[in-house]
Amino acid sequence: MATEYEKLSVDRATQKMLKRADEELIKTVFQRWQDQQPQCGFGLLGVCCRNCNMGPCIIDPFKAGPQKGACGADADTIVARNILRMIAGGTAAHSEHARHVAIVLHEAAQKKVPYNITDEKKLDAVAKTIGVATEGKSKEDIAKGVAEAALADFSNMSEEPMRFLMAYMPKKRIRTWEKLGILPRNPYKETVECMHRTTMGVDADPVNIMLHGLRTALSDGVSKLIATELQDILFGTPKPVKSTANLGVLRDDMVNIIVHGHVPLLSEKVVDAARSEEMQKLAREAGAQGINVAGICCTGNEVLMRKGVPLAGNLLQQELAVLTGAVEAMVVDVQCIMPGLTDVASCYHTQLITTMPEAKIPGATHIPFVESKADESARTIVEAGVKKFQARDKNRVYIPDDKVEMMGGFSVETIVGALGGTLNPLIDAVKSGAIRGVAGLVGCNNPKVKHDYGHVRLAENLIKNDILVVGTGCWAIAAAKAGLMMPDAAAKCGAGLGGVCKALGIPPCLHMGSCVDNSRIYIALAALANAIGVDIPDLPAAGAAMEWMSEKAVAIGTCVVGLGVLTVLGTVPQVLGGPKVTQILTEAAEDLVGGKFVVEPDPDRAADVILSHIDSKRKALGLKT
Ligand code: BF8
Ligand code: SF4
């Protein structure tokens, strides 16, 4: 029989740490979520409105009580407005991330900040794609031009669509969006418009609201794309890299510093500082064997992809990392950082270090990360960690011995490289049926569902049925921990996909990076569609976010649907109180943009949904099923 910990997570390290948390009487997200039960039914259905002070208003789903808010807004209006605000929240996160990177690239081009233009090949490719002149120009000039084009996409106040979107997306997609009037102009403009439309007494039409949701989500997609492309220019395009994953990557004999959050501007520098001889020496003087940096969440994915830094865990493991008693410092920037971390950290010697002006946490130590003095800032942060080593209570250290080998670094460039320079071998494999289709698995963890179970189980089901799986975010960390990111996972595949993986020496689940790197998947989809001469919705492809929780995931999912891809959600979105909105998301969207949402918490059934969708697309393309 499953123990109570096995019911909460399929991950062994997590089970052990949850037991440990109980023994130590320390609450984590798992317990705090339990304390929230039962969660408010109105909220779960999305029919609570607090957008003005005549409210809060609720709609009675059983029709015994009010069917309209005080202003007359009905269930669908309220649900649509709430979802639009979630999309705005997610888009704001990605666009702030991307704009931050663009500013640093702009300054790096002028040598105002200590960041390099590392990947000139990528710089050239991006410049050519968006039409920035390169002939006879220095790399600094080209980088400045690219950064200015990106910043223009974030400041455009005209009706012109975003330049990066027009340059990167297939013509057929652009025409579809143009016809619907949803070509995004600028994520800052679109998110402000979300707030305007949803404030009291503006947009009440759920269809009109959801169309703006698509437009905003497309601007989110372009923001992620800009973030990824510019990060590749600054830090290098990921190449195949070996590493390890799970809490067992922490070392009992070393200073452990965890980087957590999203923007690699900070984590790249922290890793560099920690690896410097100066800091390693400092650590040895403090009695440690050296400094071990490990990642949590997406910034972990970023430094894994480019530097091979091991992954300590995904969203629901952030507090568990601190619970090992072996973490000297957890350095965070923005997004997905639980305020509860300070409670756990206060039980140990761990210093939680916030670094960004927009993300401070009561109880944490704030050490500002200043880009113009990035190396110094990073050294100060690492030093703070090293200083904590002697305060570690060795008797309370408990590092689970779970640690799994993995391979990451699958940028589009790496994948094309592994295929011998073109997408043709992949297209041939899809045509022959050796690879039945491609699925993008992404997204968070959520205590509403068993940790990592949906992520891993769906991936295993798909590869068994010859679906090549690519993915990002906390899904990617789950898949790595489950051993699905090693070439020997080919043994878990159907004969077709297994054969392809063995021939190429690649895993059947490809780590494509952080959540902003979902844009790598969009670029791959666009390239595949262009190479075959079809539109993205015609491809035998699907997406899934089995354990999503973040507003960013709402923006990402809506963007993927806008790209024309069927997307399975494993946790139920807060929309079911609005029948029209639910119908738009799960049916009408397909007629408009080619993609739609399917809600299916069971990963076995989710696999069936994806397989039958992929087969129907194969059939329409005249491929054997
Ligand atoms: O951007 S998958 S929990 S870490 S939101 Fe957050 Fe979700 Fe993880 Fe990354 Ni993405
Ligand atoms: Fe109530 Fe309307 Fe105000 Fe929302 S906007 S709180 S539904 S009165």
Side-chain angles (χ1 to χ4, degrees), residues 214-260:
L214 276 168
R215 186 179 214 170
T216 308
L218 291 174
S219 79
D220 174 87
V222 185
S223 296
K224 300 197 296 282
L225 189 148
I226 290 173
T228 298
E229 297 294 80
L230 271 48
Q231 284 167 187
D232 281 356
I233 293 170
L234 284 168
F235 305 118
T237 303
K239 298 189 184 72
V241 64
K242 286 197 173 145
S243 193
T244 45
N246 218 342
L247 291 167
V249 305
L250 297 174
R251 296 277 303 257
D252 63 1
D253 56 351
M254 290 172 99
V255 173
N256 291 302
I257 295 182
I258 290 206
V259 287
H260 173 20

Side-chain angles (χ1 to χ4, degrees), residues 48-59 68-74 77-78 81 198-201:
C48 167
C49 181
R50 285 175 46 247
N51 293 10
C52 89
N53 203 26
M54 290 191 274
C57 299
I58 45 133
I59 306 297
K68 298 263 170 98
C71 66
D74 67 9
T77 299
I78 292 174
R81 290 193 309 212
T198 54
T199 199
M200 191 268 158

Side-chain angles (χ1 to χ4, degrees), residues 200-354:
M200 191 268 158
V202 187
D203 204 348
D205 176 357
V207 176
N208 205 38
I209 294 171
M210 293 322 293
L211 280 171
H212 189 66
L214 276 168
R215 186 179 214 170
T216 308
L218 291 174
S219 79
D220 174 87
V222 185
S223 296
K224 300 197 296 282
L225 189 148
I226 290 173
T228 298
E229 297 294 80
L230 271 48
Q231 284 167 187
D232 281 356
I233 293 170
L234 284 168
F235 305 118
T237 303
K239 298 189 184 72
V241 64
K242 286 197 173 145
S243 193
T244 45
N246 218 342
L247 291 167
V249 305
L250 297 174
R251 296 277 303 257
D252 63 1
D253 56 351
M254 290 172 99
V255 173
N256 291 302
I257 295 182
I258 290 206
V259 287
H260 173 20
H262 283 80
V263 191
L265 294 172
L266 166 76
S267 52
E268 279 272 335
K269 290 291 185 188
V270 170
V271 173
D272 287 348
R275 285 179 177 176
S276 71
E277 184 43 38
E278 183 195 350
M279 289 295 135
Q280 292 287 341
K281 189 164 160 258
L282 206 68
R284 287 193 296 271
E285 283 163 12
Q289 293 295 315
I291 304 171
N292 176 41
V293 183
I296 294 263
C297 285
C298 279
T299 217
N301 285 325
E302 296 279 0
V303 287
L304 161 90
M305 292 284 282
R306 297 196 182 85
K307 292 187 136 83
V309 170
L311 289 167
N314 48 14
L315 180 85
L316 290 186
Q317 291 178 287
Q318 54 188 282
E319 293 165 298
L320 307 183
V322 176
L323 255 152
T324 61
V327 174
E328 274 58 53
M330 182 176 278
V331 188
V332 304
D333 52 28
V334 286
Q335 303 167 20
C336 304
I337 300 146
M338 294 194 187
L341 275 168
T342 46
D343 294 335
V344 184
S346 70
C347 303
Y348 296 90
H349 70 304
T350 309
Q351 193 165 28
L352 180 68
I353 302 176
T354 55

Side-chain angles (χ1 to χ4, degrees), residues 94 122 168-169 220-232 302 411-412 442 472 512-527 556 559-560 563:
H94 289 138
K122 182 80 182 222
Y168 275 84
M169 285 298 121
D220 174 87
V222 185
S223 296
K224 300 197 296 282
L225 189 148
I226 290 173
T228 298
E229 297 294 80
L230 271 48
Q231 284 167 187
D232 281 356
E302 296 279 0
S411 55
V412 176
V442 304
T472 59
M512 290 191 78
S514 64
C515 283
V516 297
D517 291 337
N518 280 318
S519 61
R520 300 190 196 277
I521 304 179
Y522 310 162
I523 289 173
L525 286 170
I556 292 169
C559 173
V560 172
L563 283 167

